[in-house]
Amino acid sequence: MIIQLEPNIKADQLQQLEEQLDAIRYSTTRVTTQFADYIIGVGKAEFDIRSIGTLPGIRDIHRVSDAYKLVSKKWKVEDTVIDLGDGIQLGTGHFGIMAGPCSIESEEQIEKTITHLQQEGVRIMRGGVYKPRSSPYSFRGLGIDGLKMWYKRTREAGIKIITEVMMVEQIEAMADYVDVFQVGARNSQNFNLLDALGEVDKPVLLKRGISGTIDELLQAAEYIFSNGNERVMLCERGIRSYETAYRNTMDVNAIAMLKEKTHLPVIADPSHGIGLRRYVDKIALASIMAGADGVIMEVHEQPEKAFSDGQQTLSFPEAARLYRRMRQAYELRETF
């Protein structure tokens, strides 16, 4: 169960609650986030929930049988909306587009991408400065110096940054220059990293693991939330399967399922989801109709010259057409 505490709960009231939970043999974990204080109770004994819920100092109480509790929609029926500031929000009722190159390559590339995004009304730029590559000989990013250069240009343009963090040690250095931390598929069960991101008051986009299940994604999100950070988004980016005709198997089913299971925003990544440029638009539109709250996608002025993932990256004109179609699809979905 989840017990939300009153912000001014007194020490003796908290002690009374803990004694009551101990009496029914429920183990407890105290969770303090940037928004509220909770106690998570885990046990098997049947009891009248009113005997706990009517105690002084308790704001709310819910039974949640799922292994993931704080991210479950069984507790929080109203969907979470992530506020990035400057009028930019992500979540139910606030469709968002995040676009940019796979890798940040140069100052010139940043300037051209920003101009493209401004022209199309896209206010969140994606890009990698630390790149997890399958080959150790591939381009692996510009690092913190590249991030600082990128940050300076986006701040001047009023655009937010989402970029991948790969190690706990990178968080502190990156924090002042990032609006959203991205956890990539390879790190989706790096629990040390998830714990550490729970201690940071920055939104986190958590990607589904390469072969991860929906429940594993939700439990990974629970690590971040239970360590203090409620500002979590989930990303369906395709899973590895037996199919070899495309890069990944984009699980559009998962988007609809996640919207039912969790109150967190759900973002689709069609670029990684299929990995083939000519199909990215179709997968993006399908994801929106399945319920996605936003799309993160790869764009580049000249995809054939991109340092990484050019085969799944849209050119600026291709991306501009897709932005318009996605917005139209979202408006159409909202009329259903």
Side-chain angles (χ1 to χ4, degrees):
M1 63 181 156
I2 298 176
I3 302 168
Q4 185 174 350
L5 305 177
E6 293 285 0
N8 58 349
I9 188 171
K10 297 176 181 177
D12 61 324
Q13 294 172 337
L14 184 59
Q15 182 180 353
Q16 182 183 6
L17 171 60
E18 291 172 343
E19 288 174 353
Q20 195 92 334
L21 292 170
D22 186 60
I24 59 174
R25 297 184 179 179
Y26 266 60
S27 63
T28 60
T29 301
R30 181 82 177 267
V31 173
T32 299
T33 73
Q34 65 267 70
F35 301 124
D37 286 329
Y38 309 93
I39 286 183
I40 310 303
V42 179
K44 297 181 179 180
E46 292 294 330
F47 67 97
D48 185 346
I49 197 169
R50 291 171 296 182
S51 66
I52 303 293
T54 55
L55 293 174
I58 293 180
R59 171 169 289 187
D60 207 356
I61 183 169
H62 294 271
R63 292 185 189 272
V64 181
S65 56
D66 298 323
Y68 50 90
K69 300 188 183 301
L70 289 162
V71 305
S72 173
K73 208 165 193 174
K74 292 179 181 177
W75 159 63
K76 187 178 179 184
V77 178
E78 183 178 343
D79 288 337
T80 291
V81 174
I82 307 294
D83 190 344
L84 300 183
D86 300 322
I88 304 172
Q89 295 179 303
L90 291 163
T92 299
H94 302 275
F95 181 73
I97 299 172
M98 304 173 231
C102 174
S103 301
I104 298 299
E105 302 167 0
S106 67
E107 187 170 3
E108 180 183 8
Q109 176 217 34
I110 293 170
E111 296 286 3
K112 289 181 177 180
T113 304
I114 287 174
T115 298
H116 160 73
L117 296 179
Q118 287 179 313
Q119 289 173 346
E120 301 301 328
V122 177
R123 301 187 63 193
I124 307 173
M125 182 173 169
R126 62 141 293 141
V129 293
Y130 294 107
K131 297 302 299 178
R133 305 302 302 278
S134 298
S135 169
Y137 308 114
S138 299
F139 176 68
R140 299 173 70 181
L142 296 179
I144 192 67
D145 290 336
L147 178 59
K148 290 178 180 179
M149 174 180 64
W150 180 21
Y151 173 83
K152 183 176 185 296
R153 295 294 179 264
T154 54
R155 277 299 172 273
E156 293 167 352
I159 287 176
K160 305 295 183 181
I161 284 177
I162 176 170
T163 192
E164 183 170 357
V165 59
M166 293 175 57
M167 299 185 296
V168 173
E169 294 78 12
Q170 294 170 346
I171 295 174
E172 184 176 358
M174 295 174 67
D176 289 340
Y177 309 101
V178 172
D179 297 292
V180 181
F181 279 112
Q182 175 183 305
V183 178
R186 291 174 177 85
N187 271 317
S188 65
Q189 289 188 307
N190 180 343
F191 300 120
N192 290 334
L193 180 61
L194 302 181
D195 282 342
L197 289 169
E199 298 172 2
V200 178
D201 189 17
K202 290 273 185 177
V204 176
L205 179 74
L206 175 63
K207 288 197 168 187
R208 185 177 178 183
I210 292 173
S211 299
T213 66
I214 290 173
D215 275 10
E216 285 171 338
L217 173 60
L218 290 167
Q219 293 206 60
E222 188 83 1
Y223 269 84
I224 300 171
F225 200 126
S226 65
N227 274 278
N229 189 354
E230 297 193 19
R231 304 169 73 190
V232 184
M233 297 176 280
L234 305 177
C235 182
E236 169 56 43
R237 47 79 69 197
I239 52 175
R240 179 175 291 166
S241 71
Y242 55 80
E243 185 53 70
T244 59
Y246 34 77
R247 179 171 181 175
N248 291 303
T249 297
M250 182 67 174
D251 189 1
V252 177
N253 295 348
I255 296 170
M257 290 293 293
L258 287 167
K259 289 299 294 181
E260 181 178 316
K261 286 176 173 287
T262 181
H263 56 86
L264 301 177
V266 179
I267 308 299
D269 180 350
S271 300
H272 285 88
I274 192 162
L276 297 171
R277 185 186 311 161
R278 64 185 178 276
Y279 299 124
V280 167
D281 59 344
K282 298 174 178 62
I283 302 306
L285 296 172
S287 299
I288 292 168
M289 299 312 290
D293 298 306
V295 170
I296 183 169
M297 53 186 282
E298 294 182 355
V299 303
H300 195 286
E301 183 189 21
Q302 295 179 288
E304 62 278 3
K305 294 185 178 180
F307 286 11
S308 56
D309 282 355
Q311 78 285 351
Q312 65 191 36
T313 300
L314 301 187
S315 67
F316 290 168
E318 291 170 331
R321 287 193 294 272
L322 181 54
Y323 302 149
R324 291 190 286 273
R325 294 177 68 192
M326 288 193 298
R327 288 167 176 147
Q328 291 168 353
Y330 179 75
E331 290 176 5
L332 176 63
R333 188 188 84 193
E334 292 300 283
T335 65
F336 288 172

